[in-house]
Amino acid sequence: YDLEKNLFFDVLLEFIKSSQPKEWAKYEKTYGSSSESKLYRRLNNEIINRGVLDVLKKGIKDLGIEFKLCYFKPNNDLNEKLNELYSKNILGVTRQFKYSLLNNNEVDMVISINGIPIFAIELKDNLKGQTYENAIKQWVEDRDSKEVAFRFNSRILAFFAVDLYDVYMSTKIDRYDDFMPFNQGSNGPGNPGGRGNPANPSGYTTSYLWERVLKKDSVLDLINKFITVSTIKKETITPKGEKKTITYQKIIFPRFHQYDAVHKIADDVREHGSGVNYLINHSAGSGKSNSIAWLAYRLASLFDENEKPIFDTVIVVTNRIGL
């Protein structure tokens, strides 16, 4: 990991040269021996101006030369070239991730895509007297959110706190309250029950995190079709009694029940086609609006086994104007 660039820059170069050789040849012809430093400078400026999520989704452009920072899985298999480009993505898993020039702190595990770190995980062992709560404390008290790797929409997009039984996550590390459960529920996703996770007779209770959510296809799907940056407007009252509107941005990452529900319906529709009724039951405050949006966009781009679109139109009927 390049602590000055805050990237696995050699991996990024490997990806670009492998997936976009013609564009890289043009870039080298333009910049010569300074091509790599020019690429980093351009990438870094674009991340500062647009955020890493937008850069990952849309790529960057310099003097008319466009580079993709990752390729997403096509909605169908009609174009072999797109599938080939998708296979060029390099998913990295790094243990004991050292992230700063100012200290020797290490994060237990970081996942990167094409050299850009995007998910970070602190792992705790209940049998040694530590739980996810210790991991959250470590994120909030021992990690500085001003570090480039941890800044808002700069590098890492989601922070996980994981032990043998529970998973919590957040998109920022400033406060304890930022962390929310990323558990399945005591009886598994979609089933009535309490907090936590069901016992796993064939492995760790929290193994669903890496077996489902952090697999290569899922990581890229999260970036492409789930994680978003939302602009929030909030009215407050100043000490003088005046109304003031505060505007800020937040990263939206799905809760596990949202992730699970959207995938279950999309998979079932892909198998059985249109004409089936479904009910998603979300409790108050659990993200119904985002589940609606994620599902609507996914259904609009869904193809069947014959590579034909399943729906022509998606209509959302709602009694809330804000939606």
Side-chain angles (χ1 to χ4, degrees):
Y1 187 67
D2 189 323
L3 291 171
E4 293 183 348
K5 292 183 172 67
N6 290 281
L7 297 164
F8 296 95
F9 194 61
D10 57 335
V11 177
L12 178 63
L13 287 171
E14 179 187 345
F15 165 74
I16 287 176
K17 291 176 182 179
S18 169
S19 62
Q20 301 152 88
K22 291 181 181 178
E23 288 79 3
W24 182 251
K26 289 180 186 176
Y27 205 70
E28 282 195 308
K29 189 174 181 180
T30 302
Y31 285 120
S33 59
S34 61
S35 298
E36 293 185 4
S37 61
K38 291 287 186 181
L39 176 70
Y40 165 70
R41 190 173 295 116
R42 184 64 174 180
L43 171 61
N44 195 53
N45 287 338
E46 290 293 286
I47 290 176
I48 291 170
N49 293 328
R50 294 162 47 201
V52 72
L53 183 62
D54 193 62
V55 166
L56 283 167
K57 287 184 176 184
K58 298 177 183 176
I60 61 173
K61 189 181 289 186
D62 190 6
L63 295 180
I65 302 170
E66 187 173 347
F67 289 115
K68 297 290 186 183
L69 276 299
C70 63
Y71 285 97
F72 299 111
K73 197 168 189 174
N75 293 320
N76 57 60
D77 294 324
L78 295 175
N79 191 322
E80 290 185 11
K81 178 64 175 176
L82 292 178
N83 282 305
E84 181 186 341
L85 289 170
Y86 177 72
S87 70
K88 298 281 187 181
N89 289 307
I90 304 169
L91 189 77
V93 181
T94 305
R95 292 289 309 276
Q96 304 309 122
F97 175 82
K98 188 177 185 299
Y99 57 85
S100 178
L101 289 167
L102 304 176
N103 57 61
N104 292 315
N105 291 347
E106 296 175 338
V107 175
D108 288 333
M109 187 174 289
V110 159
I111 291 175
S112 57
I113 188 70
N114 300 325
I116 301 174
I118 52 169
F119 300 148
I121 311 164
E122 289 291 358
L123 300 160
K124 299 301 173 186
D125 186 352
N126 306 68
L127 301 178
K128 293 182 179 178
Q130 291 205 320
T131 70
Y132 73 89
E133 292 175 316
N134 298 97
I136 292 174
K137 182 178 180 181
Q138 199 168 16
W139 278 125
V140 175
E141 297 186 10
D142 297 342
R143 310 289 183 234
D144 187 352
S145 61
K146 295 183 178 67
E147 290 280 357
V148 173
F150 303 149
R151 283 180 203 161
F152 177 81
N153 204 10
S154 173
R155 297 293 189 274
I156 292 168
L157 295 168
F159 305 87
F160 291 88
V162 184
D163 64 25
L164 301 180
Y165 306 106
D166 288 282
V167 179
Y168 276 64
M169 64 79 52
S170 176
T171 57
K172 52 184 180 178
I173 56 172
D174 298 309
R175 303 178 308 154
Y176 283 90
D177 291 345
D178 292 333
F179 282 82
M180 303 176 71
F182 196 77
N183 291 324
Q184 305 174 86
S186 61
N187 291 319
N191 300 314
R195 58 168 296 187
N197 290 298
N200 181 2
S202 58
Y204 292 106
T205 300
T206 49
S207 64
Y208 66 91
L209 179 64
W210 56 89
E211 290 174 353
R212 283 190 62 183
V213 182
L214 299 182
K215 292 179 74 171
K216 184 174 183 177
D217 285 347
S218 177
V219 166
L220 285 155
D221 183 66
L222 282 165
I223 295 170
N224 188 29
K225 294 186 175 181
F226 277 105
I227 306 174
T228 57
V229 177
S230 178
T231 300
I232 310 294
K233 289 186 178 180
K234 188 176 181 181
E235 284 194 354
T236 61
I237 305 296
T238 67
K240 295 181 179 180
E242 300 171 342
K243 281 187 177 181
K244 183 180 180 182
T245 301
I246 299 174
T247 302
Y248 63 95
Q249 289 187 317
K250 62 185 286 189
I251 292 173
I252 307 294
F253 191 97
R255 304 276 293 277
F256 186 82
H257 63 271
Q258 296 172 306
Y259 173 90
D260 180 71
V262 169
H263 274 295
K264 276 181 178 172
I265 289 185
D267 291 344
D268 197 82
V269 170
R270 192 179 287 110
E271 181 180 352
H272 297 108
S274 61
V276 182
N277 292 331
Y278 304 91
L279 172 66
I280 299 179
N281 185 11
H282 278 4
S283 60
S286 60
K288 291 184 288 292
S289 305
N290 287 323
S291 292
I292 290 168
W294 285 321
L295 184 59
Y297 279 112
R298 194 170 290 263
L299 294 178
S301 59
L302 209 57
F303 286 73
D304 62 19
E305 59 184 13
N306 297 315
E307 309 299 351
K308 293 182 178 179
I310 296 174
F311 300 106
D312 298 308
T313 305
V314 175
I315 299 172
V316 177
V317 181
T318 175
N319 64 345
R320 290 173 56 195
I321 294 174
L323 290 177

